[in-house]
Amino acid sequence: MLLIVGTVRLPSANLERARPAMRAMVQASRAEAGCLEYSYGEDVLEPGLIHVKELWSDQPALDAHFASSHIQAWRAAWPALGIGDRNLRAYEVGSPRST
């Protein structure tokens, strides 16, 4: 499995305009084969900081995600929304366990 975690930033004034695009991205990604989890969350202390968490079954599923039309539309929206700072990392992980 592949775990993607990190953040993206946008001007807090653009959050309301960004929500429909983020919602569409999350919903389309969750519907993809191999997507086990996909979420964006606003930081409670830093307006405009969005936390990203994705869990994919394998690299081919992630590759298909990167080639999808909805990720192309999401990336095309970045300039207008002021998204420029992205800090995402991919990790290979094993089976989950309760803590």
Side-chain angles (χ1 to χ4, degrees):
M1 283 188 291
L2 296 171
L3 175 66
I4 313 293
V5 293
T7 59
V8 296
R9 281 189 189 275
L10 67 154
S12 59
N14 292 352
L15 277 170
E16 286 304 315
R17 287 190 313 119
R19 280 192 180 98
M22 289 191 290
R23 186 177 300 110
M25 180 61 181
V26 169
Q27 290 173 334
S29 297
R30 286 179 179 174
E32 289 183 68
C35 180
L36 305 173
E37 292 183 41
Y38 200 100
S39 63
Y40 295 156
E42 294 179 45
D43 191 280
V44 297
L45 299 177
E46 290 188 50
L49 181 64
I50 305 299
H51 294 271
V52 177
K53 182 178 86 168
E54 307 174 28
L55 186 62
W56 297 91
S57 59
D58 53 29
Q59 188 63 53
L62 183 60
D63 292 343
H65 171 67
F66 288 142
S68 69
S69 60
H70 56 273
I71 201 166
Q72 303 307 319
W74 170 232
R75 289 178 175 172
W78 291 353
L81 296 173
I83 295 173
D85 183 22
R86 294 175 48 249
N87 181 13
L88 299 169
R89 300 277 190 262
Y91 301 91
E92 290 186 30
V93 297
S95 298
R97 61 182 170 97
S98 296
T99 57

